[in-house]
Amino acid sequence: MSEKVTRRTFIKRAFRSFLAVAASGTGGYFYAREVEPRILDITRHKIKNVHLPAGFDGVKIIQFSDTHIGFQYTMEQLEELITKINNFTPDIIFFTGDLLDDPRHFTKKNTIISILSKLNAPLGKFAVYGNHDHGGYGSDLYKQIMEGSGFHLLLNTSAAIKLLDGSTIMVAGIDDAMLGKPDLAAAMGEIPQNSYTILLSHAPDKADEAVRYPIQLQLSGHSHGGQIQIPFYGPLVTPPFAEKYIEGFYTIGDISPLRLYVNRGLGTTRLPFRFLSQPELALFTLYHEKTSS
């Protein structure tokens, strides 16, 4: 049996299992389809590191991911999200992939560019490809949307984020692991030595490769936090390249550890449900950590 058929069969079985669990609780099905997918969890985190320049103390980053517009997440929800993001007055915005669920059926390019263009981030807006951004010949459409709305699309490349005092951190971005051609060596090739570096990778499991590079923080999505979690069991389905790291923080490596953060994302795909895996908007505040004397 092919891998594709095996995965499809597993999803169907998982779906039947979920329906059985949901049906066992009053309103469980309604909650997972109509309620939880619309409950936004705003998570707040402090990032401290000795490699962070002191000038970046208090700099705010917003990460959003996996909107999957067109499946369950709507353009109206995206507009509401942009207002929420701007209310946090972020300095930097990162989008970690899967903007549209199926680019083949999306016909509102100019509308979404207009919406995303309203995002304000004085130090820059950056994005990487997810697997759905490549799917259905969507690669060019995604590029047009993100660049047209002021995002710097990182495709196995890096960029410097500079302050007026000359302080600099680096952001690198790699292509999607499922349908793209990620190249960490290329993405890291022009990063100066001893720079504080953030890696954007749609696929969280690429962290096992990223730990071999001088990267301090990796931000990912893709997993949806499992999207459907069963108590005492965990997520029913995790996609390839998000099978090891599912949600939240992980520390990888010992000598020069990499911190990985996996965002649960905002939308849904394949199954229009979320259960014990609320949509997430993540806010990170950076701090220079002094070395002990």
Side-chain angles (χ1 to χ4, degrees), residues 39-110:
I39 301 175
L40 181 63
D41 184 19
I42 299 170
T43 60
R44 295 169 171 84
H45 314 281
K46 293 180 180 180
I47 301 295
K48 299 180 180 181
N49 194 281
V50 295
H51 295 286
L52 270 166
F56 278 84
D57 268 4
V59 165
K60 293 185 291 185
I61 296 172
I62 285 282
Q63 180 205 11
F64 70 112
S65 193
D66 296 87
T67 46
H68 289 272
I69 293 166
F71 182 72
Q72 189 181 43
Y73 202 82
T74 67
M75 299 284 274
E76 290 74 23
Q77 285 177 285
L78 181 66
E79 290 191 270
E80 293 173 4
L81 176 74
I82 266 58
T83 299
K84 287 184 172 71
I85 291 175
N86 284 337
N87 286 341
F88 284 109
T89 62
D91 300 291
I92 304 166
I93 295 175
F94 293 139
F95 179 69
T96 44
D98 280 2
L99 180 69
L100 310 175
D101 193 67
D102 188 348
R104 294 172 299 179
H105 301 128
F106 189 77
T107 59
K108 297 181 179 180
K109 182 181 75 172
N110 292 334

Side-chain angles (χ1 to χ4, degrees), residues 17-290:
S17 299
F18 166 70
L19 289 180
V21 172
S24 66
T26 303
Y29 178 93
F30 177 82
Y31 171 81
R33 182 177 181 116
E34 303 296 337
V35 179
E36 185 165 312
R38 291 168 175 79
I39 301 175
L40 181 63
D41 184 19
I42 299 170
T43 60
R44 295 169 171 84
H45 314 281
K46 293 180 180 180
I47 301 295
K48 299 180 180 181
N49 194 281
V50 295
H51 295 286
L52 270 166
F56 278 84
D57 268 4
V59 165
K60 293 185 291 185
I61 296 172
I62 285 282
Q63 180 205 11
F64 70 112
S65 193
D66 296 87
T67 46
H68 289 272
I69 293 166
F71 182 72
Q72 189 181 43
Y73 202 82
T74 67
M75 299 284 274
E76 290 74 23
Q77 285 177 285
L78 181 66
E79 290 191 270
E80 293 173 4
L81 176 74
I82 266 58
T83 299
K84 287 184 172 71
I85 291 175
N86 284 337
N87 286 341
F88 284 109
T89 62
D91 300 291
I92 304 166
I93 295 175
F94 293 139
F95 179 69
T96 44
D98 280 2
L99 180 69
L100 310 175
D101 193 67
D102 188 348
R104 294 172 299 179
H105 301 128
F106 189 77
T107 59
K108 297 181 179 180
K109 182 181 75 172
N110 292 334
T111 301
I112 197 170
I113 288 175
S114 176
I115 294 171
L116 290 174
S117 294
K118 296 175 184 177
L119 283 170
N120 299 317
L123 296 182
K125 304 187 291 187
F126 303 85
V128 290
Y129 278 94
N131 53 299
H132 281 256
D133 303 317
H134 280 307
Y137 304 99
S139 305
D140 289 341
L141 175 61
Y142 179 71
K143 184 176 188 293
Q144 292 165 14
I145 290 172
M146 300 314 287
E147 292 183 346
S149 54
F151 278 79
H152 186 152
L153 183 57
L154 297 168
L155 184 61
N156 300 322
T157 54
S158 63
I161 300 176
K162 297 181 180 180
L163 300 181
L164 291 176
D165 66 0
S167 300
T168 303
I169 64 174
M170 300 298 296
V171 55
I174 57 172
D175 201 359
D176 173 64
M178 286 183 65
L179 297 181
K181 296 179 179 179
D183 189 335
L184 262 167
M188 296 294 294
E190 297 184 4
I191 292 182
Q193 191 174 7
N194 298 323
S195 294
Y196 182 85
T197 301
I198 300 171
L199 174 68
L200 305 183
S201 169
H202 183 64
D205 290 359
K206 294 295 286 184
D208 287 337
E209 181 182 349
V211 74
R212 302 199 293 266
Y213 293 85
I215 298 166
Q216 287 73 41
L217 176 66
Q218 176 180 323
L219 300 180
S220 296
H222 189 44
S223 70
H224 298 198
Q227 194 167 297
I228 299 166
Q229 296 207 29
I230 301 301
F232 310 110
Y233 177 81
L236 283 176
V237 178
T238 52
F241 298 102
E243 296 169 307
K244 187 174 182 180
Y245 305 114
I246 310 301
E247 64 173 309
F249 277 109
Y250 300 86
T251 300
I252 303 161
D254 299 317
I255 299 174
S256 298
L258 166 70
R259 293 195 80 190
L260 164 67
Y261 190 80
V262 186
N263 191 303
R264 294 191 300 271
L266 293 156
T268 60
T269 191
R270 293 185 181 270
L271 306 176
F273 303 99
R274 276 187 180 266
F275 189 71
L276 300 182
S277 185
Q278 289 178 227
E280 177 183 9
L281 182 68
L283 171 63
F284 303 90
T285 306
L286 304 181
Y287 295 96
H288 169 71
E289 187 172 51
K290 296 179 180 179

